[in-house]
Amino acid sequence: MIKVNKLVNKNFISSFDISSQEVHHILELAKNFKSKDFNINLQGKVLGLIFDKSSTRTRVSFQVAMARLGGTTIDLNPTTSQIGRGEPIRDTARVLSRYCDVLAIRTFKQSVLEEYAKWATIPVINALTDLEHPCQALADFLTIKEEFGELKGKVVSYIGDGNNVANSLIICGALLGVEVRIACPKGYEPNSFLLDKASKINDNKSLLKITNDPSCASLDANVLYTDVWSSMGEENQKEQKDKEFNGFAIDSNLLSKAAKDAIVLHCLPAYRDKEITDEVIESKNSRIFEQAENRLHVQQALLSCLLY
Ligand code: CP
Ligand code: NVA
């Protein structure tokens, strides 16, 4: 029977916080949780959820994951707690550390999350920032592994904005030794510091490809992946970005360039017929709802490795 290994780092605020072996371990544990071959008991453990932005999948998958493990969650809504009043993070983090066992935080700046992690004495999880979405990347690779069995040799092509989802996909892909291609309009490339750091993992440079040509990136790819063109907090750029991302939608034409058995992913929520056509979301190639389900199994695995 599989056993839970504790993560070396206390926090999971970036995909860089875990090693290649730890990613493999989380994916294996998640698979066991999914098949119901395995469970652990986290009775009495409490997860605090601080969400400065909306969420369906991340929030609910954390709540259900904790329930399945026998623990509980507290919704620390910033507008009804003193967080919204502007209580200093260093105070909130130290107080919550005396009540809760782990915090999952969704906010804008990565530096806010880092400040929580600095002052908290309990693990802090990144539930999405403007820079990264590391829990999402774990679910993405679980979905890809389920489909193809083996990750090595697979090509994952992300078409769209070089945003938080793309950044974590790149890092997690580098940890797993998977080829990740990013196709984005000029000026919307992923974070250059993270790109540089990811390219140094396992000497990963040759497996990481950035282009401005979606067709070229899609050629014989095993996975086509996209996300919204304007993320939460970028609402005022919507009109401009919609123009600049013209030609970057995943449609049946782009899908026809990928490998015959290619799958399509989207972290959701989607704008149908914008970054991805309705037809592709509903196609036989789509694994978008399996991917959403896998958020739950991965959260169970992650919480186990942080708390058990
Ligand atoms: N994919 C994802 O993080 O979705 P939510 O914004 O609904 O949590
Ligand atoms: N890039 C998107 C992902 C939402 C899950 C955003 O940050 O809004």
Side-chain angles (χ1 to χ4, degrees):
M1 178 143 81
I2 191 162
K3 81 177 218 319
V4 177
N5 298 329
K6 243 191 150 46
L7 299 181
V8 169
N9 280 328
K10 177 185 87 147
N11 301 311
F12 186 53
I13 61 173
S14 163
S15 295
F16 283 122
D17 285 341
I18 50 177
S19 66
S20 300
Q21 290 94 320
E22 287 174 331
V23 183
H24 282 292
H25 179 59
I26 292 170
L27 298 187
E28 198 52 35
L29 261 183
K31 184 179 152 194
N32 278 265
F33 277 119
K34 185 168 185 174
S35 62
K36 300 208 161 58
D37 285 342
F38 178 73
N39 207 355
I40 60 160
N41 188 358
L42 292 184
Q43 195 182 0
K45 301 278 186 195
V46 178
L47 164 68
L49 297 163
I50 303 174
F51 278 59
D52 288 336
K53 298 179 181 181
S54 305
S55 170
T56 298
R57 281 141 286 267
T58 309
R59 184 196 298 275
V60 178
S61 61
F62 267 121
Q63 287 170 329
V64 176
M66 223 32 200
R68 287 197 179 183
L69 294 168
T72 52
T73 56
I74 300 183
D75 207 339
L76 295 154
N77 186 338
T79 57
T80 51
S81 68
Q82 303 289 13
I83 296 169
R85 166 194 176 275
E87 181 170 7
I89 292 171
R90 62 176 185 268
D91 295 352
T92 306
R94 280 180 290 181
V95 171
L96 292 178
S97 296
R98 289 166 184 249
Y99 304 144
C100 300
D101 299 282
V102 55
L103 294 174
I105 303 173
R106 170 169 287 199
T107 191
F108 293 85
K109 290 189 188 142
Q110 184 77 10
S111 58
V112 167
L113 194 67
E114 286 165 2
E115 178 80 354
Y116 271 104
K118 179 178 166 191
W119 291 98
T121 53
I122 57 173
V124 173
I125 299 171
N126 183 343
L128 181 147
T129 59
D130 291 344
L131 188 66
E132 278 201 55
H133 198 4
C135 298
Q136 179 69 53
L138 292 172
D140 301 341
F141 281 105
L142 177 62
T143 314
I144 298 167
K145 196 169 174 210
E146 266 177 358
E147 182 69 29
F148 299 108
E150 183 58 50
L151 287 171
K152 276 243 150 34
K154 295 292 166 294
V155 175
V156 179
S157 294
Y158 175 98
I159 316 292
D161 190 24
N163 60 14
N164 43 11
V165 168
N167 288 335
S168 287
L169 188 78
I170 287 167
I171 303 165
C172 204
L175 289 167
L176 291 164
V178 175
E179 179 172 334
V180 176
R181 302 176 188 163
I182 307 285
C184 52
K186 269 200 171 51
Y188 293 100
E189 287 80 11
N191 181 281
S192 57
F193 175 77
L194 296 188
L195 267 181
D196 191 48
K197 207 169 152 189
S199 69
K200 290 185 180 127
I201 299 176
N202 302 328
D203 209 12
N204 199 60
K205 213 172 189 114
S206 61
L207 291 178
L208 191 46
K209 298 183 173 99
I210 313 293
T211 168
N212 304 119
D213 182 345
S215 299
C216 186
S218 304
L219 206 63
D220 298 326
N222 303 101
V223 181
L224 293 190
Y225 189 172
T226 192
D227 181 17
V228 291
W229 293 336
S230 298
S231 286
M232 290 179 276
E234 293 185 338
E235 289 75 13
N236 60 350
Q237 296 174 41
K238 218 169 200 155
E239 218 176 302
Q240 177 69 18
K241 285 185 103 173
D242 282 356
K243 277 191 216 135
E244 298 196 61
F245 281 75
N246 188 20
F248 283 79
I250 297 186
D251 55 15
S252 51
N253 178 42
L254 204 61
L255 183 55
S256 72
K257 300 186 194 304
K260 232 188 165 130
D261 62 348
I263 60 166
V264 178
L265 301 181
H266 189 309
C267 60
L268 298 178
Y271 286 107
R272 285 173 185 246
D273 292 329
K274 205 168 247 189
E275 74 272 6
I276 186 166
T277 60
D278 186 72
E279 186 191 2
V280 171
I281 293 186
E282 301 298 343
S283 71
K284 65 176 184 8
N285 304 76
S286 169
R287 295 293 176 277
I288 291 172
F289 295 98
E290 286 76 8
Q291 179 188 12
E293 177 187 333
N294 284 338
R295 299 293 309 277
L296 167 62
H297 309 301
V298 156
Q299 315 297 35
Q300 272 186 273
L302 177 66
L303 288 164
S304 303
C305 294
L306 290 171
L307 292 176
Y308 197 47

